[in-house]
């Protein structure tokens, strides 16, 4: 999945069907989520455009966007969920190259 496809999935998660200036905000939040995953040690092979396919990586980005777009009433719950996924990712061998982890 490309980053643009991930942005499209994030828009769907937000129930945002129109194309407007807010799409840039969604794209920025996806970029921040991927940067945060890199910050905790996720190998670049999981995060590079065109190869984002791991469901935990995708869900982490989608939850991060959902929590930080606008002012959702359930922000705390969403960030708790995001942090739980980060904990799973930290312990899941994502610091190694995706091809090494699979083989």
């Amino acid at each position: 999945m490309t980053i643009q496809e991930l942005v499209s999935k994030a828009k769907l998660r937000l129930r945002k069907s129109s194309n407007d200036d807010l799409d840039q905000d969604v794209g920025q939040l996806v970029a921040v989520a991927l940067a945060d995953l890199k910050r905790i040690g996720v190998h670049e092979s999981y995060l590079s455009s065109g190869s984002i396919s791991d469901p935990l990586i995708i869900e982490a980005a989608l939850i991060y966007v959902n929590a930080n777009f606008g002012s959702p009433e359930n922000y705390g719950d969403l960030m708790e969920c995001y942090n739980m996924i980060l904990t799973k990712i930290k312990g899941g061998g994502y610091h190694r190259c995706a091809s090494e982890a699979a083989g």
Side-chain angles (χ1 to χ4, degrees):
M1 163 179 312
T2 67
I3 291 175
Q4 188 54 45
E5 289 170 330
L6 187 54
V7 169
S8 293
K9 277 182 108 43
K11 285 178 57 177
L12 181 64
R13 177 70 60 96
L14 295 169
R15 306 301 188 252
K16 184 182 175 319
S17 59
S18 63
N19 293 317
D20 55 30
D21 291 339
L22 294 177
D23 291 357
Q24 292 177 10
D25 285 344
V26 176
Q28 175 64 25
L29 289 170
V30 167
V32 170
L34 296 177
D36 195 41
L37 290 166
K38 185 174 183 178
R39 176 194 63 82
I40 66 163
V42 174
H43 193 274
E44 180 67 30
S45 62
Y46 289 97
L47 306 174
S48 58
S49 184
S51 65
I52 302 171
S53 61
D54 188 278
L56 279 177
I57 300 294
I58 293 168
E59 189 62 20
L62 295 177
I63 289 175
Y64 184 88
V65 170
N66 199 10
N68 290 285
F69 186 81
S71 300
E73 291 181 17
N74 59 344
Y75 171 81
D77 292 335
L78 289 168
M79 286 307 292
E80 188 176 320
C81 184
Y82 175 71
N83 288 325
M84 180 61 70
I85 290 176
L86 290 187
T87 299
K88 291 176 182 181
I89 288 171
K90 285 178 187 177
Y94 289 86
H95 61 282
R96 296 185 306 259
C97 179
S99 61
E100 291 175 19

